[in-house]
Amino acid sequence: MNKLTIYIDDKQFQAEPGKSILEVCREHDIEILTMCHLKGVNDVGACRLCLVEIEGMSKLLSACTTKITANMVIHTKTERIKKYQRITTELFFAERNHVCAVCVANGTCELQDLGYKVGMDHIRYPFLFPKCEVDTSHPWYVMDQNRCIMCTRCVRVCNEVEGAHNWDVKNRGYQVRIISDFDTPWGESITCTSCGKCLQACPTGALWPKAIVQGQMKKNPEIIDELMERRKMIL
Amino acid sequence: MKSGSSLLDAELHKTDPRVKLIAAKLKKENFKPDALIEVLHTAQNVYGHLPLNVLAYISKALSLPPSRVYSTVTFYHFFSLKSKGEHTCLVCTGTACYVKGAQVILNEIESKIGLRPGQVSADNQLGIQVARCIGACGLAPAVVLDDEVQGKVTLGEIINKIIDKMAAK
Amino acid sequence: MNRQDLKTIIYAEKAKVENNKYKHKIGVCCGAGCISSGSEEVLKKLQEEVTTRGLDHDVEIIPTGCMGPCNQGPLMKYLPDHTIYQKVDCSNIAAIVQSQIIDKKPIEHLLLFADTREKPFRDAREDPFFKSQLKIVLRNCGQLNPERIEDFLVHDGYQALDKTLCEMSPEDVIAEIKHSRLRGRGGAGYPTGLKWETVYKYVNDQKYVICNGDEGDPGAFMDRSVLEGNPHRVLEGMAIAGYAIGATKGYAYIRGEYPLAIKRFETAIKQARKMGLLGTDILGSNFSFDVEVRIGAGAFVCGEETALIASIEGKRGTPRPRPPFPAEFGLWGKPTLINNVETFASISPIIINGGEWYSEIGTPKSAGTKVFALAGKINYSGLIEVPMGTSLREIVFDIGGGMQGGGEFKAAQTGGPSGGCIPAGHLDVKMDYEALTNLGSIMGSGGLIIMDQTSDMVDVARFFMEFCMDESCGKCLPCRVGTKMMCDLLQKICDNRATQIDLDRLEELAIYVKETSLCGLGGSAPNPLLSTLRHFRNEYQNRLIRHEQKDQIEVPSNIQV
Amino acid sequence: MNRKKIATVWLGGCSGCHMSLLDIDELILEVAKLADIVKSPIVDCKELPDVDIALIEGSVTSDEHMNELLHIRKHAKVLVALGDCAVMTNVTGMRNYFPLKEVFDAAYVDAVSNDSEGSVPGHPALLHLNDKVVPLPEVVDVDFVIPGCPPGADAIFYVLSEFLNDRIPDLNETKKLRYG
């Protein structure tokens, strides 16, 4: 297939049509910050961290959901984008109750990493301090809404990879929460297979195994993509 | 939280005429999963709200995961998981009504009747709700008492009407 | 039914009207506003009155769609004189029948606007309220019985469909619409012809037409009135669109809050099917088209096209990023055309009278007329239709009869929670898409709320922000958290607890949310805030406390448990 | 010799940040070459004199903290929020999800160790807890923040030495930024 010529941050690249801007950037080690993107499941464009400027477009577009077109001129690191990435990060921290000091994912958390990458030293917006539930009813796992950033990676992994669709989202606006079945305790779910893929997919310490304590969480989100690749070979 | 597994085991009363209405709707829609919202409308109409066992029934009938059904129900303001009360008083808070003092009406209801939007009286007689514009802007401020639109309401009059509703069981 | 059959029916109906055995005709407005004021009672009582007087054979009584001046309802119109009686109730019906029908002279003090005008008009068409209007979309609203397809047929109903199917190719139809320069009436004002052409060009075995009747703006009821007053007009527009783009299936997504509109539209569909104006092989043209109603379940965001599609598919109404646009990847992944109710209702007049005719109405960039739902602190509120480019002053003072209680005009809010306000200094603005955008507002779907000096603009911004916060779907972060933060900050300003830093932060957030949100809801949620800041910044500034004063106040408690 | 004055203050926190400050070990001598620590939990001084740098650990949880912080703001040239509690409330903020009464009851009434006989202490001389815990930037202008629970000793020393040498530190540039 004929490759397309595109320009990213003033450099020229050849890329296959049908690929997203994000895929092309990742191939060439151009850093694009993401939270809701997880290789192996469908993109939803919800976190808005991967927004890029495209010449000729008035709107910022999410790199994960926008396919490349011929002669596209893309800017990924303008001052405007950097500024918005920082605000997005701050809003993530202010939305729920992220207490790194007591979190299992301290040190391996993608949200923490994001904060370092955008150089966020403090949060300028008032914290919302919502009251959130912690579901410990599952024999092995815990779901802590305090640490959830609503990236819905667990929802998509459970639905698209495991096929169980235990997780979904309830309510709307800032009151959205991840739910299991009819918002019933996870331990009583009739759909969950306890496969644990959602734990691997979760970028923060919202989903974790009971056996560990602060700072011990090891995550391997890449496993999802590997799994999907292996499945293709079996077929 | 209610127990999840026990819920799905709960069979709806087959003789309940309301279940039959839902079953008829399901059949009419050919049990297509994309008819979920249409079926929920029917269920909400016949039950007044959407009890969890009804949702479990619908989820099974349409072969949809429980969380998919629950998430759809909680997304739309029209659907309610809880009973809204025998009588309902819905105060329009659309822009025209807002400009003409919908908030004052809500304050008055709270001080005289002791209920805020979304609340139902202890005896389940009256539920107070708000709507984002019922499209009767020419009659602002408007209140809907049991499906009957009261236009250009005044404070004393509307409170009396509500109290009458509560008294007439 | 073929073309000839339709003509036969129309001739027969027209003949019936011409050889009218009735000497008098009385229309009772059964639009939602008048029904709320009790017009159904009036209709019943009127029928009784006429029967008791033995006038059944002389007086025809019809329920009609919205007549316009909704806050004067229930309205009753005597034809052919166009005499309108306002605030009719059961007690004065006998007198009206006696005076108007028997004595043949109207009762002056019961006429429309009799309580506010020095001399009310016997022919309501002479009244400035109607005189300044130009009704294209609403032309037959308030004249025909919306529940009878025959009434519509008499008023050139389905003539446009007949013309397109029998005389025009899909390309012709698209060219005509393009020529008319009609722009989408849902708010964004995208050229309708261009949109049709895009969907037409995508080749697919299945395409869809969707009519967006999820009118969620608080303070807007244009679509509702059109659907209730003339549902067949919308249906006809949808069928023409289906023919033009090559779709065989349409969906009308109507707000659940509008039960009457749903009922009448469903009736219309049944009648049209029965007459063969929907279904297979319409008018013997090989073209097949059918429409289904989907009822909204109370989510403002479903007015956004991708969310609306998700909702029709039975899912949470959350939008998805565009591109791909619905024209390419829409309902069930098929090319889909989505237009607003008012847009579809504008189609048949364009087909009948030609695109040229339509394009000459209005302003160079915004052709045609626009329906507004006029409300707020104004004397006559209701449903109006004016040519694009009519000045706000004309709308407020000529049509609306000026400010209520002699108040002072402060601002007009357009476009609801996605729009902005027009301050008194711009009363002479010619209302069209560009002019409103230049003022930092938008045309929107047509809600027009007039505010007087008692309105607090910061609180107005807070009101709309709270609305957007409640209606945010929660999918993307900027809208989900941003609207909540902005709402809290606005509350802080309203409570006189905020400093200049808070205001700066609020402005920064507003622009951030506007530029980064996934869909139009978040993208326009900051508009009322930005617009009031632009025109009424001093009202914000006056509320701020100085930074040094901060240590005198309590700890900010903008934290919700 | 223009020696600078440093104050370190302990508001609503666990003193871990001060422990981390002590962890700079012998480098404290480097600090001592340029400045005096005039007020600190480890210095016996009741009044706060005007200082060049104030390092403040912990968040604002009570009226006393509030007054102290406002006082320091007036007397410090550079106010540094030290540690996650001061910067973003951290663990101390975890009571914000509950009404204050529930928090008191949990601690003084319902706790098992109370043998069901406890009551909420109400002596007027006791400090008065605010309804909500807030981080320093919500109350006063903060000139610099060092997040971390606790911040690393190297980060603290780096910031101190930069300010003492009239330079502005940059945690991000120097890869010393960390939370938790």
Side-chain angles (χ1 to χ4, degrees), chain D residues 16-72:
Chain D
C17 299
H18 273 87
M19 295 300 139
S20 201
L21 170 66
L22 296 181
D23 274 345
I24 67 175
D25 297 337
E26 73 282 2
L27 289 175
I28 195 113
L29 298 173
E30 298 294 319
V31 176
K33 279 182 196 160
L34 297 169
D36 295 321
I37 298 180
V38 294
K39 169 149 170 66
S40 167
I42 50 169
V43 175
D44 188 14
C45 162
K46 304 291 180 232
E47 294 300 313
L48 178 80
D50 285 347
V51 294
D52 297 286
I53 304 166
L55 292 180
I56 303 179
E57 171 193 344
S59 45
V60 178
T61 71
S62 65
D63 55 349
E64 193 188 271
H65 289 160
M66 181 66 105
N67 292 334
E68 203 173 346
L69 179 61
L70 293 171
H71 181 75
I72 297 162

Side-chain angles (χ1 to χ4, degrees), chain C residues 371-436:
Chain C
V371 180
F372 288 104
L374 187 60
K377 299 283 181 72
I378 196 166
N379 276 325
Y380 311 136
S381 56
L383 196 69
I384 62 163
E385 183 174 357
V386 290
M388 290 278 186
T390 305
S391 78
L392 180 59
R393 187 184 296 279
E394 248 181 294
I395 294 176
V396 174
F397 292 97
D398 294 351
I399 299 176
M403 301 300 289
Q404 205 176 48
E408 186 189 321
F409 175 89
K410 183 173 184 180
Q413 215 280 345
T414 68
S418 320
C421 57
I422 306 167
H426 294 278
L427 253 175
D428 289 308
V429 62
K430 307 272 178 220
M431 305 276 279
D432 69 5
Y433 288 100
E434 277 70 28
L436 290 185

Side-chain angles (χ1 to χ4, degrees), chain B residues 34 36-38 41 68 71 75-79 93-96 98-100 132-135 137-139 149 152, chain C residues 33 36-37 71 218-219 221 224 255-256 294-298 311 313-317 376-377 459-460 463 467 470:
Chain B
D34 58 73
L36 174 63
I37 294 174
E38 317 303 304
H41 270 298
R68 241 302 300 279
S71 89
F75 183 83
Y76 295 100
H77 277 348
F78 229 70
F79 302 132
T93 56
T95 318
Y98 156 80
V99 171
K100 296 228 173 140
R132 293 297 194 178
C133 193
I134 55 167
C137 307
L139 303 173
V149 180
K152 299 181 191 167
Chain C
S36 310
S37 323
N71 69 339
F221 51 94
R224 170 185 201 160
R255 261 186 108 188
R294 287 286 156 123
I295 303 166
S311 188
E313 290 172 353
K315 299 177 190 153
R316 283 169 72 86
K377 299 283 181 72
D459 198 55
V460 167
F463 168 80
F467 176 87
D470 280 347

Side-chain angles (χ1 to χ4, degrees), chain A residues 38 110 151 153-154 157 196-203 219 221 224:
Chain A
L38 177 66
E110 289 182 38
C151 66
R153 275 153 60 159
C154 56
V157 162
K197 290 188 194 72
C198 50
L199 276 71
Q200 301 300 335
C202 179
K219 298 220 181 200
I224 304 300

Side-chain angles (χ1 to χ4, degrees), chain D:
Chain D
M1 184 73 182
N2 189 13
R3 286 183 67 76
K4 292 200 162 70
K5 288 179 187 156
I6 298 175
T8 78
V9 184
W10 179 14
L11 302 180
C14 69
S15 90
C17 299
H18 273 87
M19 295 300 139
S20 201
L21 170 66
L22 296 181
D23 274 345
I24 67 175
D25 297 337
E26 73 282 2
L27 289 175
I28 195 113
L29 298 173
E30 298 294 319
V31 176
K33 279 182 196 160
L34 297 169
D36 295 321
I37 298 180
V38 294
K39 169 149 170 66
S40 167
I42 50 169
V43 175
D44 188 14
C45 162
K46 304 291 180 232
E47 294 300 313
L48 178 80
D50 285 347
V51 294
D52 297 286
I53 304 166
L55 292 180
I56 303 179
E57 171 193 344
S59 45
V60 178
T61 71
S62 65
D63 55 349
E64 193 188 271
H65 289 160
M66 181 66 105
N67 292 334
E68 203 173 346
L69 179 61
L70 293 171
H71 181 75
I72 297 162
R73 179 64 276 186
K74 282 184 189 138
H75 294 277
K77 278 190 197 145
V78 176
L79 190 149
V80 180
L82 180 66
D84 278 351
C85 292
V87 178
M88 43 185 127
T89 73
N90 198 28
V91 175
T92 52
M94 290 172 83
R95 79 159 159 93
N96 281 351
Y97 333 141
F98 309 97
L100 191 56
K101 187 179 179 310
E102 269 181 42
V103 177
F104 272 126
D105 285 351
Y108 294 105
V109 182
D110 304 331
V112 181
S113 57
N114 289 328
D115 297 330
S116 342
E117 286 171 12
S119 64
V120 178
H123 195 280
L126 291 174
L127 55 72
H128 175 79
L129 284 194
N130 291 335
D131 274 356
K132 298 291 169 215
V133 177
V134 290
L136 307 192
E138 276 196 42
V139 183
V140 293
D141 291 332
V142 173
D143 303 304
F144 197 80
V145 299
I146 316 175
C149 182
D154 60 330
I156 300 177
F157 176 73
Y158 162 72
V159 171
L160 271 180
S161 61
E162 292 296 286
F163 276 127
L164 291 177
N165 290 301
D166 297 320
R167 292 189 297 261
I168 293 173
D170 188 336
L171 290 175
N172 194 27
E173 253 337 83
T174 49
K175 301 268 176 248
K176 286 186 167 58
L177 195 59
R178 133 178 165 203
Y179 336 115

